[in-house]
């Protein structure tokens, strides 16, 4: 992990788990997954597989020395299914062999007798059956029931949004290496090394200190490795433990797509009431989340949906209810945005329905109802600052929304087949883990006697540039050149009890901890410098790799200072801990302050529709975004651009299809389309808002990972606007993704 990381990445020189040189005697594991969505296991016969060429062993649930359990929030997920299977692809056994090919071949020799049971894939059906994970949750403010009678206009409808495959570049992977004295070293492609450590210890019935989980650099994750990297690491560890040999498990793309969970599909009902001036008086929604077969992170995802039900809008009367519906599909999981996109698309659909009913431009309704500083969210927190309006107004004027809409109307009238559409998409996203206890981080900083610095945190570099940001923070804090600083791999032996690298918060949390550790070191070094220079410590600063006394450079350079400190037996290592202040949430009252701050912005999205072919493309996405004082404008721009494209992929391109038996049909890159360069908008312009309020995060910066994904929602409504230039399509039933096939159906008046 260096500043050169992106370059190495593009050259395929980056070292993923599968690229780590293997220890001698490494064996390879392949996973046998359930062929049916729901059934009772009668016989699992692995004798032929065990006898197959090159096979060292086959392991099933009975071989687990500890607890057969990997559920992180709810204990409902066996590592290896024993008596019942709940989704196609659910792991039942692993084969370990001397080559990956032989391990895969031996999978064919496993025979399974299974008693099939009825399976449910529709969340509304699951809800009707009462098959929920946890209880439904409701967040409310004001009095919705009383407000309807005051509304001049009420719209209602249903929104269905699809799942989304993470398609990280590096598939799920782990390498488990037994070490002397009953310990184990695991390389895992995970966002959450401590979760892997904790779960492996549980599965192997050993103390956590016996397990070191190390993460070098993960080849993309997007939430798909927040919870779901654990299973594969635990399986590799189980085999390594039983055989006392290194075991590597790397899912091939096909298995990864079939066996791992994706973004949660939602189906939701809404009702929105407006007064005669177009002000939102009341909003009500019910979200049926398709959770899949086990809890995974579903309850936390649902919570974030509820917290984002009203997006960037102030609505006095709100009641939103959500439930996690258990179905017989692979457990759906974290995906960039973590439930917020699924909720935001509902309120946006409601606004568009209202705008079409009232025959006014949607953006005028949006603008009229934006949050102001001090406005309350339904969960009790208040909006700080004015970025929803500032970004909205800036986007409308800077990107000429009024004149372009008029222009589009003229051009659409003059063109038979080519139609254009434009949508404005504001986003207001809460920063912090909604699970309050996760908002903590530790950091360990060593200064070596040659003056070089090593930094360990809980942050996992997944391609989001956190290492680059951390390096910059440390360089600024210590006043030395970034080249003197190494951001280490992430290891559970150096930093304990880590929260996952998730919730857009890795730079915020780990950066704050690192800055605290640097502060401690700096204090010690300044004392040493003051002694050498014979001045009070208060007059000493360190910058440009040198000691300064009252703004005048001294001859004492960083390396000499460090060596002097070492000679004086001053501790050159510091550990620090950070917990985000002022966060609290009361689950009983459903009120509190779950977020440290909100990140807001506004996008203007323009689409071009070919109404003859039923194809559409996104021409431009222009964004005014608040990144605070950016820690690295290039990294942040990359995050915004990538998130936008991923968001557009979710709303108009990527479609998961499952056959009537619950088997994923779109399990290859030829059947599951993801955005490529050709699909991406010709223009993505990102303008960063300046002079916005310091949220109290690191160096006045703001988190950037997830919020821009939701700008992509504008793509759906831009294409919808273009379709409406051809024919009226009702707004009561919105379905994502708006694929070409779906566009054709709408154009045909389906
Ligand atoms: N975001 C991401 N991951 C999480 C969260 C969250 O808010 N809560 C628990 N895990
Ligand atoms: Mo993320 S979806 O918080 O890994």
């Amino acid at each position: 992990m260096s500043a050169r990381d992106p370059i190495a990445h593009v050259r395929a020189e980056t070292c993923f788990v599968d690229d780590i040189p293997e220890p001698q005697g490494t064996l390879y594991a392949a996973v046998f997954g359930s062929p049916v969505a729901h059934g009772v296991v009668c016989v699992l016969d692995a004798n032929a597989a065990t006898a197959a060429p090159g096979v060292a062993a086959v392991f099933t649930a009975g071989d687990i020395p500890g607890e057969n359990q990997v559920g992180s929030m709810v204990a409902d997920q066996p590592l290896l299914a024993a008596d019942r299977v709940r989704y196609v692809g659910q792991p039942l056994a692993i084969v370990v062999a001397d080559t990956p090919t032989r391990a895969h071949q031996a999978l064919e020799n496993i025979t399974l007798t299974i008693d099939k049971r009825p399976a449910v894939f529709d969340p509304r059906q699951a809800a009707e059956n009462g098959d929920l994970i946890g209880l439904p949750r409701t967040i409310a403010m004001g009095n919705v029931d009383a407000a309807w009678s005051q509304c001049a206009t009420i719209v209602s409808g249903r929104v269905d949004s699809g799942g989304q495959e993470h398609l990280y570049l590096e598939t799920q992977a782990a390498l488990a290496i037994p070490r002397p004295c009953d310990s184990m070293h695991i390389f895992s492609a995970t966002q959450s090394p401590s979760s892997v450590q904790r779960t492996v210890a549980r599965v192997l019935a050993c103390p956590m200190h016996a397990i070191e989980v190390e993460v070098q650099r993960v080849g993309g994750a997007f939430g798909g490795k927040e919870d779901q990297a654990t299973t594969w690491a635990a399986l590799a560890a189980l085999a390594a433990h039983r055989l006392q040999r290194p075991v590597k498990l790397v899912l091939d793309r096909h298995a990864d797509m079939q066996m791992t969970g994706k973004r949660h599909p939602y189906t939701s009902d809404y009702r929105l009431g407006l007064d005669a001036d177009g002000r939102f008086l009341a909003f009500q929604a019910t979200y049926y989340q398709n959770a899949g077969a086990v809890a995974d992170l579903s309850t936390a995802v649902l919570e974030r949906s509820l917290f984002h039900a009203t997006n960037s809008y102030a609505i006095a009367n709100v009641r939103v209810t959500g439930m996690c519906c258990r179905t017989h599909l692979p457990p759906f999981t974290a995906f960039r945005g973590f439930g917020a996109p699924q909720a935001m698309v509902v309120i946006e659909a409601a606004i568009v329905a209202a705008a079409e009913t009232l025959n006014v431009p949607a953006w005028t309704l949006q603008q009229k109802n934006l949050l102001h500083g001090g406005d309350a969210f339904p969960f009790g927190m208040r909006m700080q600052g004015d970025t929803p309006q500032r970004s909205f107004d800036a986007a409308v004027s800077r990107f000429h929304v009024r004149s372009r809409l008029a222009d589009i109307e003229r051009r659409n009238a003059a063109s038979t087949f080519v139609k254009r559409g434009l949508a404005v998409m504001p986003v207001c996203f809460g920063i912090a883990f909604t699970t309050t206890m996760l908002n903590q981080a530790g950091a360990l900083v060593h200064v070596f006697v040659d003056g070089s610095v090593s930094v360990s945190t809980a942050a996992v570099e997944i391609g989001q540039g956190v290492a680059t940001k951390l390096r910059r923070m440390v360089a600024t804090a210590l006043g030395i050149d970034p080249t003197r600083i190494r951001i280490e791999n992430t290891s559970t032996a150096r930093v304990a009890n880590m929260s996952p690298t998730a919730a857009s918060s890795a730079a915020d949390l780990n950066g704050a901890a690192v800055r605290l550790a640097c502060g401690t070191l700096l204090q010690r070094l300044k004392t040493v410098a003051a002694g050498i220079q014979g001045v009070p410590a208060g007059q000493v600063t360190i910058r440009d790799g040198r000691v300064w006394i009252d703004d005048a450079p001294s001859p004492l350079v960083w390396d000499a200072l460090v060596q002097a400190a070492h000679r004086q037996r001053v501790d050159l290592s510091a550990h620090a801990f950070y917990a985000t202040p002022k966060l609290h949430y009361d689950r009983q009252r459903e009120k509190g302050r779950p977020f440290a701050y909100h990140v807001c912005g506004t996008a203007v999205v323009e689409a071009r529709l070919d109404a003859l072919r039923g194809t559409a493309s996104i021409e431009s996405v222009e964004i005014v975004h608040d990144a605070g004082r950016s820690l690295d404008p290039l990294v942040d721009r990359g995050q915004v651009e990538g998130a936008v494209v991923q968001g557009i992929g979710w709303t108009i391109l990527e479609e998961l299809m499952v056959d009537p038996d619950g088997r994923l049909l779109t399990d290859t890159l030829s059947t599951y389309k993801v955005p490529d360069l050709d699909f991406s908008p010709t223009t993505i312009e990102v303008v960063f808002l300046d002079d916005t309020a310091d949220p109290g995060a690191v160096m006045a910066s703001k988190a950037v990972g997830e919020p821009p994904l939701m700008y992509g929602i504008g793509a759906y409504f831009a294409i919808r606007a273009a379709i409406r230039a051809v024919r009226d399509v009702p707004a009561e039933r919105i379905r994502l993704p708006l694929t070409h096939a779906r566009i054709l159906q709408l154009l045909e008046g389906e």
Side-chain angles (χ1 to χ4, degrees):
M1 275 184 266
S2 71
R4 296 175 47 78
D5 185 63
I7 297 167
H9 198 41
V10 167
R11 287 181 179 158
E13 288 166 358
T14 327
C15 187
F16 296 153
V17 170
D18 205 15
D19 304 312
I20 297 170
E22 292 156 13
Q24 210 169 19
T26 297
L27 298 170
Y28 305 86
V31 184
F32 179 78
S34 169
V36 304
H38 188 199
V40 173
V41 178
C42 305
V43 188
L44 177 68
D45 182 354
N47 288 327
T50 309
V55 171
V58 178
F59 297 114
T60 59
D63 297 303
I64 295 169
E67 230 183 304
N68 183 13
Q69 186 53 245
V70 298
S72 58
M73 303 190 76
V74 181
D76 67 348
Q77 187 175 3
L79 174 62
L80 289 167
D83 42 9
R84 189 179 284 265
V85 290
R86 297 177 191 278
Y87 61 92
V88 173
Q90 183 171 12
L92 276 157
I94 52 167
V95 177
V96 186
D98 58 355
T99 72
T101 310
R102 285 170 133 181
H104 279 101
Q105 280 167 346
L107 291 178
E108 309 286 327
N109 301 326
I110 294 178
T111 53
L112 180 68
T113 319
I114 206 156
D115 181 11
K116 269 211 218 177
R117 294 293 159 89
V120 172
F121 308 114
D122 172 19
R124 288 182 193 252
Q125 182 65 54
E128 210 165 285
N129 299 348
D131 203 359
L132 301 181
I133 295 166
L135 295 171
R137 283 179 67 178
T138 297
I139 294 181
M141 175 171 69
N143 188 340
V144 176
D145 296 325
W148 299 120
S149 64
Q150 294 154 39
C151 294
T153 308
I154 296 174
V155 290
S156 61
R158 167 173 167 171
V159 179
D160 292 355
S161 63
Q164 186 175 22
E165 163 65 44
H166 301 87
L167 215 88
Y168 24 68
L169 201 57
E170 178 186 23
T171 55
Q172 301 279 359
L175 169 61
I177 306 165
R179 283 199 297 212
C181 305
D182 294 325
S183 84
M184 175 119 39
H185 189 192
I186 300 171
F187 292 96
S188 167
T190 180
Q191 293 171 250
S192 190
S194 289
S195 304
V196 172
Q197 180 195 23
R198 185 180 197 160
T199 301
V200 169
R202 187 178 185 182
V203 164
L204 297 186
C206 68
M208 282 173 76
H209 71 217
I211 308 296
E212 179 183 357
V213 177
E214 184 173 348
V215 184
Q216 312 228 28
R217 188 226 193 260
V218 176
F222 308 114
K225 296 165 183 169
E226 182 175 337
D227 214 49
Q228 297 212 356
T230 301
T231 288
W232 321 106
L235 288 173
L238 168 66
H241 171 78
R242 296 296 307 243
L243 296 166
Q244 286 301 303
R245 298 263 297 268
V247 173
K248 184 155 94 174
L249 198 173
V250 180
L251 292 187
D252 62 32
R253 181 65 66 188
H254 207 201
D256 192 301
M257 291 177 87
Q258 288 171 328
M259 291 180 163
T260 68
K262 302 153 201 329
R263 182 189 295 286
H264 292 83
Y266 274 50
T267 169
S268 312
D269 299 319
Y270 70 79
R271 197 160 187 234
L272 175 68
L274 300 82
D275 71 11
D277 292 329
R279 261 174 231 295
F280 304 157
L281 282 187
F283 179 66
Q284 182 179 315
T286 306
Y287 309 97
Y288 301 89
Q289 176 202 63
N290 192 338
V294 297
D296 189 274
L297 296 167
S298 294
T299 51
V301 169
L302 182 78
E303 179 173 59
R304 187 170 280 277
S305 301
L306 294 173
F307 288 158
H308 290 81
T310 51
N311 190 13
S312 305
Y313 309 105
I315 311 178
N317 304 289
V318 176
R319 186 172 61 230
V320 289
T321 299
M323 60 203 93
C324 304
C325 309
R326 191 186 280 114
T327 60
H328 295 96
L329 290 168
F332 292 101
T333 193
F335 195 130
R336 206 173 192 174
F338 207 76
Q342 292 96 320
M344 285 190 193
V345 75
V346 174
I347 181 90
E348 293 304 324
I351 294 169
V352 166
E356 289 174 8
T357 302
L358 295 168
N359 203 20
V360 297
W363 73 270
T364 58
L365 291 183
Q366 291 171 319
Q367 190 176 43
K368 198 171 288 182
N369 290 283
L370 290 170
L371 285 160
H372 291 63
D375 284 341
F377 290 94
F379 48 90
M381 189 173 169
R382 286 181 185 278
M383 182 68 203
Q384 282 174 282
D386 52 3
T387 47
Q389 300 148 65
R390 269 190 66 195
S391 67
F392 198 98
D393 294 346
V396 165
S397 69
R398 189 170 186 133
F399 306 131
H400 313 291
V401 166
R402 271 173 217 276
S403 59
R404 274 165 70 191
L405 279 170
D407 186 49
I408 284 171
E409 201 169 318
R410 250 190 324 274
R411 287 167 73 179
N412 282 350
S415 165
T416 312
F417 294 122
V418 175
K419 305 286 188 184
R420 285 170 183 273
L422 183 142
V424 182
M425 181 65 205
V427 168
C428 185
F429 189 86
I431 300 300
F433 285 95
T434 60
T435 308
T436 303
M437 63 150 289
L438 292 176
N439 296 290
Q440 54 174 305
L444 177 64
V445 179
H446 298 312
V447 181
F448 296 102
V449 288
D450 67 351
S452 67
V453 176
S454 145
V455 177
S456 296
T457 70
V460 174
E461 178 59 50
I462 50 184
Q464 84 283 47
V466 71
T468 307
K469 288 187 170 181
L470 289 173
R471 179 181 293 104
R472 183 151 306 181
M473 292 177 207
V474 174
T476 315
L478 297 181
I480 57 175
D481 195 80
T483 55
R484 308 302 303 277
I485 299 155
R486 179 178 184 81
I487 306 299
E488 292 286 354
N489 299 339
T490 317
S491 162
T492 55
R494 270 177 272 117
V495 177
N497 310 319
M498 304 186 233
S499 292
T501 286
S504 304
S505 297
D508 279 21
L509 294 172
N510 296 286
V514 154
R515 302 266 303 174
L516 289 172
C518 289
T520 303
L521 288 167
L522 211 53
Q523 222 36 58
R524 293 179 198 152
L525 288 169
K526 281 182 184 173
T527 306
V528 172
I532 293 171
Q533 300 290 324
V535 297
Q539 292 177 17
V540 176
T541 52
I542 303 173
R543 59 183 203 282
D544 302 329
R546 171 181 302 280
V547 170
W548 296 60
I549 312 291
D550 281 339
D551 273 344
S554 85
L556 186 57
V557 296
W558 169 261
D559 296 23
L561 172 61
V562 166
Q563 280 143 25
H566 185 58
R567 275 195 305 275
Q568 293 177 26
R569 298 188 294 172
V570 170
D571 184 2
L572 289 173
S573 297
H575 169 267
F577 176 81
Y578 178 76
T580 315
K582 290 190 258 178
L583 300 179
H584 57 90
Y585 197 73
D586 180 341
R587 282 280 188 91
Q588 252 51 58
R589 293 172 50 239
E590 294 285 11
K591 297 283 179 214
R593 189 174 182 279
F595 300 120
Y597 58 94
H598 281 82
V599 164
C600 306
T602 302
V604 176
V605 183
E606 184 168 339
R608 179 185 186 277
L609 170 74
D610 180 333
L612 190 61
R613 294 181 179 81
T615 57
S617 58
I618 300 304
E619 301 286 283
S620 64
V621 181
E622 296 155 296
I623 301 160
V624 176
H625 182 81
D626 178 19
R629 196 174 309 149
S630 178
L631 288 167
D632 190 314
L634 200 59
V635 166
D636 284 354
R637 188 171 299 270
Q639 285 293 298
V640 175
E641 290 177 356
V644 163
V645 172
Q646 202 163 35
I648 298 174
W650 174 58
T651 56
I652 70 169
L653 179 68
E654 301 178 43
E655 188 168 32
L656 293 168
M657 289 197 251
V658 173
D659 77 8
D661 296 321
R663 185 179 302 273
L664 183 68
L665 292 169
T666 47
D667 60 359
T668 64
L669 290 181
S670 55
T671 52
Y672 186 80
K673 264 314 262 156
V674 292
D676 54 16
L677 264 186
D678 203 38
F679 167 87
S680 299
T682 319
T683 307
I684 302 178
E685 190 180 336
V686 187
V687 177
F688 290 112
L689 266 185
D690 43 35
D691 298 332
T692 61
D694 176 0
V698 191
M699 297 166 74
S701 68
K702 286 181 184 159
V704 74
E706 293 169 290
L709 182 130
M710 284 143 277
Y711 296 137
I713 293 170
Y716 181 96
F717 294 102
I719 296 177
R720 176 180 168 81
I723 293 172
R724 278 176 47 89
V726 180
R727 71 182 308 152
D728 254 345
V729 285
E732 304 86 64
R733 185 75 199 269
I734 296 280
R735 229 163 76 195
L736 284 69
L738 187 51
T739 57
H740 290 170
R742 182 86 189 122
I743 290 172
L744 261 186
Q745 287 173 343
L746 291 177
L747 288 169
E748 299 287 316
E750 169 253 36

